[in-house]
Amino acid sequence: MDLDGGNRRVFNRLGGSSAASPDSSKNQKVCYHWRAGKCSRFPCPFLHRELPHPSGPAAATSNGSGAPKRFADDSGFSGPALRRGPNFNNNHNNSWGRMGANKVVRKTEKVCNYWVQGNCSYGDKCRFLHSWSLGECFTLLNHLDGHQKVVTGIALPAGMDKLYTGSKDETVRAWDTNTGQCMGVINLGGEVGCMISEGPWLFVGIPNVVKAWNTQTNQELSLSGPVGQVYTMVVGNDLLFAGTQDGTILAWKFNAVTNNFEPAASLKGHTLAVVSLVVGANRLYSGSMDHSIKAWSLETLQCLQTLTEHTSVVMSLLCWEQFLLSCSLDQTIK
């Protein structure tokens, strides 16, 4: 019978009293992990039983010595006793083991000084970290040093063993992905505003031009038309789009006959520089320093909608399922 509510339902099943309970100081909540048969905490702050200990003269004894029989609880066993979960039975599918068999070493957030020096003798049993970070996360593999100013672009063409980076120091560097060594430097004569790769092509945006390299044939092209710095690029519907400093979005299409990129369109509508582009749902989305986002049809290249909810520069855009996500210097994500 439920006498005092849901929290005391189990306890009152046998007419127990909190005042008489030997565990009155203990949290009267059954351990979730014990229910699953895999609690490794000792002592555990929660109950390792469904019912309270029997008490009083009516309690059955285990061997006539007067010691009451007990459920497998968190107060500990002596000798070879076993910890069993509530679903224990005599088949081979239960989950239990000897006390302490699955004990987990709790790590602190401090790096082991002996491990740093390479002579910790505790190994996996050491309570200090034997790594520079917590959890299963990314670890630093290498520093690629060489650029003299801010790195503004990075690209890893598919199937290549070279990483390309562009910088405001007016250079593009190629790095061996196996060794981290710089394989070459190209001086462009202008600050790199952005960089992307598509298939074998590497595109680099600099003031008044987009440079294109075919990483397989080493062919180099210059795509003219931008006015001012090229801040962002994206590929969609077989077109290369570039957002420029004067607020225009230029588009080029590759001509396989001439083996060259030819101007396809010039999208005008923004009043200040276009600094972010993304393609999704058969549309091109552009974010600008004029605080607005415009949606363009990839079929007609016409502006379909203008979003004006941001109050500062729209720095980045992301298409996710049926959503468009945007972040801005107004400190919001919409």
PDB file of all heavy atoms in Angstrom, residues 293 309-311 313-318 320 324-334:
ATOM      1  N   ILE A 293      21.088  38.861 -45.280  1.00  0.00           N
ATOM      2  CA  ILE A 293      21.301  37.571 -45.942  1.00  0.00           C
ATOM      3  C   ILE A 293      20.354  37.524 -47.132  1.00  0.00           C
ATOM      4  O   ILE A 293      19.165  37.841 -47.006  1.00  0.00           O
ATOM      5  CB  ILE A 293      20.987  36.399 -44.999  1.00  0.00           C
ATOM      6  CG1 ILE A 293      21.879  36.442 -43.758  1.00  0.00           C
ATOM      7  CG2 ILE A 293      21.143  35.063 -45.715  1.00  0.00           C
ATOM      8  CD1 ILE A 293      21.462  35.465 -42.678  1.00  0.00           C
ATOM      9  N   GLU A 309      17.307  40.236 -40.150  1.00  0.00           N
ATOM     10  CA  GLU A 309      17.178  40.181 -38.694  1.00  0.00           C
ATOM     11  C   GLU A 309      18.479  40.489 -37.952  1.00  0.00           C
ATOM     12  O   GLU A 309      18.455  40.851 -36.785  1.00  0.00           O
ATOM     13  CB  GLU A 309      16.664  38.806 -38.262  1.00  0.00           C
ATOM     14  CG  GLU A 309      15.167  38.598 -38.494  1.00  0.00           C
ATOM     15  CD  GLU A 309      14.833  38.386 -39.959  1.00  0.00           C
ATOM     16  OE1 GLU A 309      15.776  38.146 -40.746  1.00  0.00           O
ATOM     17  OE2 GLU A 309      13.643  38.461 -40.323  1.00  0.00           O
ATOM     18  N   HIS A 310      19.639  40.311 -38.611  1.00  0.00           N
ATOM     19  CA  HIS A 310      20.909  40.603 -37.937  1.00  0.00           C
ATOM     20  C   HIS A 310      21.159  42.103 -37.898  1.00  0.00           C
ATOM     21  O   HIS A 310      20.693  42.855 -38.775  1.00  0.00           O
ATOM     22  CB  HIS A 310      22.073  39.899 -38.638  1.00  0.00           C
ATOM     23  CG  HIS A 310      22.178  38.448 -38.303  1.00  0.00           C
ATOM     24  ND1 HIS A 310      22.455  38.001 -37.026  1.00  0.00           N
ATOM     25  CD2 HIS A 310      22.066  37.329 -39.080  1.00  0.00           C
ATOM     26  CE1 HIS A 310      22.507  36.682 -37.025  1.00  0.00           C
ATOM     27  NE2 HIS A 310      22.268  36.252 -38.251  1.00  0.00           N
ATOM     28  N   THR A 311      21.915  42.531 -36.890  1.00  0.00           N
ATOM     29  CA  THR A 311      22.222  43.958 -36.739  1.00  0.00           C
ATOM     30  C   THR A 311      23.696  44.257 -36.948  1.00  0.00           C
ATOM     31  O   THR A 311      24.155  45.361 -36.666  1.00  0.00           O
ATOM     32  CB  THR A 311      21.804  44.442 -35.338  1.00  0.00           C
ATOM     33  OG1 THR A 311      22.499  43.678 -34.344  1.00  0.00           O
ATOM     34  CG2 THR A 311      20.306  44.291 -35.138  1.00  0.00           C
ATOM     35  N   VAL A 313      27.553  42.456 -39.155  1.00  0.00           N
ATOM     36  CA  VAL A 313      28.072  41.661 -40.273  1.00  0.00           C
ATOM     37  C   VAL A 313      27.710  40.187 -40.111  1.00  0.00           C
ATOM     38  O   VAL A 313      27.884  39.605 -39.037  1.00  0.00           O
ATOM     39  CB  VAL A 313      29.606  41.800 -40.364  1.00  0.00           C
ATOM     40  CG1 VAL A 313      30.146  40.999 -41.545  1.00  0.00           C
ATOM     41  CG2 VAL A 313      29.994  43.268 -40.474  1.00  0.00           C
ATOM     42  N   VAL A 314      27.220  39.562 -41.173  1.00  0.00           N
ATOM     43  CA  VAL A 314      26.889  38.132 -41.172  1.00  0.00           C
ATOM     44  C   VAL A 314      28.152  37.377 -41.589  1.00  0.00           C
ATOM     45  O   VAL A 314      28.510  37.332 -42.760  1.00  0.00           O
ATOM     46  CB  VAL A 314      25.728  37.821 -42.131  1.00  0.00           C
ATOM     47  CG1 VAL A 314      25.391  36.332 -42.080  1.00  0.00           C
ATOM     48  CG2 VAL A 314      24.508  38.670 -41.776  1.00  0.00           C
ATOM     49  N   MET A 315      28.812  36.789 -40.613  1.00  0.00           N
ATOM     50  CA  MET A 315      30.139  36.227 -40.839  1.00  0.00           C
ATOM     51  C   MET A 315      30.133  34.827 -41.439  1.00  0.00           C
ATOM     52  O   MET A 315      31.042  34.449 -42.170  1.00  0.00           O
ATOM     53  CB  MET A 315      30.921  36.197 -39.522  1.00  0.00           C
ATOM     54  CG  MET A 315      31.239  37.574 -38.959  1.00  0.00           C
ATOM     55  SD  MET A 315      32.275  38.549 -40.071  1.00  0.00           S
ATOM     56  CE  MET A 315      33.770  37.573 -40.083  1.00  0.00           C
ATOM     57  N   SER A 316      29.118  34.017 -41.118  1.00  0.00           N
ATOM     58  CA  SER A 316      29.134  32.638 -41.585  1.00  0.00           C
ATOM     59  C   SER A 316      27.721  32.108 -41.742  1.00  0.00           C
ATOM     60  O   SER A 316      26.810  32.495 -40.996  1.00  0.00           O
ATOM     61  CB  SER A 316      29.916  31.754 -40.602  1.00  0.00           C
ATOM     62  OG  SER A 316      30.050  30.433 -41.087  1.00  0.00           O
ATOM     63  N   LEU A 317      27.541  31.195 -42.709  1.00  0.00           N
ATOM     64  CA  LEU A 317      26.244  30.583 -42.990  1.00  0.00           C
ATOM     65  C   LEU A 317      26.399  29.073 -43.076  1.00  0.00           C
ATOM     66  O   LEU A 317      27.452  28.561 -43.491  1.00  0.00           O
ATOM     67  CB  LEU A 317      25.671  31.105 -44.313  1.00  0.00           C
ATOM     68  CG  LEU A 317      25.400  32.605 -44.413  1.00  0.00           C
ATOM     69  CD1 LEU A 317      25.117  32.993 -45.868  1.00  0.00           C
ATOM     70  CD2 LEU A 317      24.225  32.995 -43.519  1.00  0.00           C
ATOM     71  N   LEU A 318      25.343  28.360 -42.687  1.00  0.00           N
ATOM     72  CA  LEU A 318      25.369  26.898 -42.724  1.00  0.00           C
ATOM     73  C   LEU A 318      23.983  26.372 -43.040  1.00  0.00           C
ATOM     74  O   LEU A 318      22.995  26.782 -42.414  1.00  0.00           O
ATOM     75  CB  LEU A 318      25.842  26.349 -41.366  1.00  0.00           C
ATOM     76  CG  LEU A 318      25.827  24.826 -41.195  1.00  0.00           C
ATOM     77  CD1 LEU A 318      26.859  24.189 -42.115  1.00  0.00           C
ATOM     78  CD2 LEU A 318      26.104  24.452 -39.747  1.00  0.00           C
ATOM     79  N   TRP A 320      21.517  23.247 -42.836  1.00  0.00           N
ATOM     80  CA  TRP A 320      21.353  22.019 -42.069  1.00  0.00           C
ATOM     81  C   TRP A 320      19.915  21.543 -42.230  1.00  0.00           C
ATOM     82  O   TRP A 320      18.990  22.161 -41.738  1.00  0.00           O
ATOM     83  CB  TRP A 320      21.685  22.253 -40.601  1.00  0.00           C
ATOM     84  CG  TRP A 320      21.412  21.085 -39.722  1.00  0.00           C
ATOM     85  CD1 TRP A 320      21.891  19.822 -39.853  1.00  0.00           C
ATOM     86  CD2 TRP A 320      20.557  21.073 -38.566  1.00  0.00           C
ATOM     87  NE1 TRP A 320      21.407  19.019 -38.857  1.00  0.00           N
ATOM     88  CE2 TRP A 320      20.590  19.760 -38.050  1.00  0.00           C
ATOM     89  CE3 TRP A 320      19.794  22.046 -37.923  1.00  0.00           C
ATOM     90  CZ2 TRP A 320      19.869  19.390 -36.917  1.00  0.00           C
ATOM     91  CZ3 TRP A 320      19.082  21.673 -36.794  1.00  0.00           C
ATOM     92  CH2 TRP A 320      19.125  20.361 -36.302  1.00  0.00           C
ATOM     93  N   LEU A 324      18.451  27.163 -42.277  1.00  0.00           N
ATOM     94  CA  LEU A 324      19.612  27.994 -42.590  1.00  0.00           C
ATOM     95  C   LEU A 324      20.078  28.608 -41.281  1.00  0.00           C
ATOM     96  O   LEU A 324      19.299  29.263 -40.585  1.00  0.00           O
ATOM     97  CB  LEU A 324      19.243  29.104 -43.580  1.00  0.00           C
ATOM     98  CG  LEU A 324      20.359  30.127 -43.846  1.00  0.00           C
ATOM     99  CD1 LEU A 324      21.509  29.484 -44.604  1.00  0.00           C
ATOM    100  CD2 LEU A 324      19.820  31.331 -44.613  1.00  0.00           C
ATOM    101  N   LEU A 325      21.335  28.369 -40.913  1.00  0.00           N
ATOM    102  CA  LEU A 325      21.903  28.915 -39.689  1.00  0.00           C
ATOM    103  C   LEU A 325      22.859  30.043 -40.057  1.00  0.00           C
ATOM    104  O   LEU A 325      23.610  29.940 -41.026  1.00  0.00           O
ATOM    105  CB  LEU A 325      22.653  27.841 -38.902  1.00  0.00           C
ATOM    106  CG  LEU A 325      21.878  26.555 -38.613  1.00  0.00           C
ATOM    107  CD1 LEU A 325      22.745  25.578 -37.825  1.00  0.00           C
ATOM    108  CD2 LEU A 325      20.595  26.853 -37.852  1.00  0.00           C
ATOM    109  N   SER A 326      22.840  31.108 -39.275  1.00  0.00           N
ATOM    110  CA  SER A 326      23.718  32.242 -39.546  1.00  0.00           C
ATOM    111  C   SER A 326      24.307  32.761 -38.243  1.00  0.00           C
ATOM    112  O   SER A 326      23.660  32.739 -37.201  1.00  0.00           O
ATOM    113  CB  SER A 326      22.944  33.361 -40.249  1.00  0.00           C
ATOM    114  OG  SER A 326      21.886  33.830 -39.415  1.00  0.00           O
ATOM    115  N   CYS A 327      25.553  33.207 -38.312  1.00  0.00           N
ATOM    116  CA  CYS A 327      26.162  33.839 -37.139  1.00  0.00           C
ATOM    117  C   CYS A 327      26.700  35.203 -37.543  1.00  0.00           C
ATOM    118  O   CYS A 327      27.107  35.417 -38.683  1.00  0.00           O
ATOM    119  CB  CYS A 327      27.268  32.969 -36.542  1.00  0.00           C
ATOM    120  SG  CYS A 327      28.723  32.766 -37.565  1.00  0.00           S
ATOM    121  N   SER A 328      26.674  36.114 -36.573  1.00  0.00           N
ATOM    122  CA  SER A 328      26.958  37.513 -36.885  1.00  0.00           C
ATOM    123  C   SER A 328      27.806  38.159 -35.801  1.00  0.00           C
ATOM    124  O   SER A 328      27.909  37.662 -34.671  1.00  0.00           O
ATOM    125  CB  SER A 328      25.618  38.276 -37.034  1.00  0.00           C
ATOM    126  OG  SER A 328      25.822  39.685 -37.017  1.00  0.00           O
ATOM    127  N   LEU A 329      28.420  39.276 -36.161  1.00  0.00           N
ATOM    128  CA  LEU A 329      29.159  40.056 -35.186  1.00  0.00           C
ATOM    129  C   LEU A 329      28.235  40.735 -34.184  1.00  0.00           C
ATOM    130  O   LEU A 329      28.707  41.371 -33.234  1.00  0.00           O
ATOM    131  CB  LEU A 329      30.013  41.118 -35.899  1.00  0.00           C
ATOM    132  CG  LEU A 329      31.187  40.596 -36.740  1.00  0.00           C
ATOM    133  CD1 LEU A 329      32.002  41.759 -37.292  1.00  0.00           C
ATOM    134  CD2 LEU A 329      32.085  39.667 -35.919  1.00  0.00           C
ATOM    135  N   ASP A 330      26.911  40.582 -34.358  1.00  0.00           N
ATOM    136  CA  ASP A 330      25.978  41.102 -33.352  1.00  0.00           C
ATOM    137  C   ASP A 330      25.853  40.132 -32.181  1.00  0.00           C
ATOM    138  O   ASP A 330      25.002  40.290 -31.319  1.00  0.00           O
ATOM    139  CB  ASP A 330      24.605  41.391 -33.957  1.00  0.00           C
ATOM    140  CG  ASP A 330      23.911  40.134 -34.500  1.00  0.00           C
ATOM    141  OD1 ASP A 330      24.374  39.017 -34.200  1.00  0.00           O
ATOM    142  OD2 ASP A 330      22.919  40.283 -35.228  1.00  0.00           O
ATOM    143  N   GLN A 331      26.714  39.093 -32.174  1.00  0.00           N
ATOM    144  CA  GLN A 331      26.813  38.123 -31.087  1.00  0.00           C
ATOM    145  C   GLN A 331      25.623  37.175 -31.017  1.00  0.00           C
ATOM    146  O   GLN A 331      25.314  36.621 -29.946  1.00  0.00           O
ATOM    147  CB  GLN A 331      27.018  38.820 -29.738  1.00  0.00           C
ATOM    148  CG  GLN A 331      28.238  39.730 -29.709  1.00  0.00           C
ATOM    149  CD  GLN A 331      28.421  40.420 -28.373  1.00  0.00           C
ATOM    150  OE1 GLN A 331      27.988  39.919 -27.340  1.00  0.00           O
ATOM    151  NE2 GLN A 331      29.061  41.589 -28.389  1.00  0.00           N
ATOM    152  N   THR A 332      24.954  36.962 -32.142  1.00  0.00           N
ATOM    153  CA  THR A 332      23.824  36.023 -32.151  1.00  0.00           C
ATOM    154  C   THR A 332      23.999  34.997 -33.261  1.00  0.00           C
ATOM    155  O   THR A 332      24.708  35.227 -34.250  1.00  0.00           O
ATOM    156  CB  THR A 332      22.483  36.746 -32.385  1.00  0.00           C
ATOM    157  OG1 THR A 332      22.455  37.291 -33.718  1.00  0.00           O
ATOM    158  CG2 THR A 332      22.270  37.841 -31.360  1.00  0.00           C
ATOM    159  N   ILE A 333      23.345  33.854 -33.058  1.00  0.00           N
ATOM    160  CA  ILE A 333      23.201  32.822 -34.086  1.00  0.00           C
ATOM    161  C   ILE A 333      21.718  32.689 -34.351  1.00  0.00           C
ATOM    162  O   ILE A 333      20.918  32.557 -33.414  1.00  0.00           O
ATOM    163  CB  ILE A 333      23.777  31.479 -33.627  1.00  0.00           C
ATOM    164  CG1 ILE A 333      25.270  31.608 -33.324  1.00  0.00           C
ATOM    165  CG2 ILE A 333      23.539  30.392 -34.666  1.00  0.00           C
ATOM    166  CD1 ILE A 333      25.876  30.381 -32.677  1.00  0.00           C
ATOM    167  N   LYS A 334      21.318  32.770 -35.602  1.00  0.00           N
ATOM    168  CA  LYS A 334      19.893  32.719 -35.949  1.00  0.00           C
ATOM    169  C   LYS A 334      19.645  31.544 -36.884  1.00  0.00           C
ATOM    170  O   LYS A 334      20.519  31.158 -37.638  1.00  0.00           O
ATOM    171  CB  LYS A 334      19.450  34.028 -36.601  1.00  0.00           C
ATOM    172  CG  LYS A 334      19.538  35.246 -35.652  1.00  0.00           C
ATOM    173  CD  LYS A 334      18.982  36.489 -36.305  1.00  0.00           C
ATOM    174  CE  LYS A 334      19.148  37.700 -35.392  1.00  0.00           C
ATOM    175  NZ  LYS A 334      18.355  37.584 -34.152  1.00  0.00           N
TER     176      LYS A 334
END
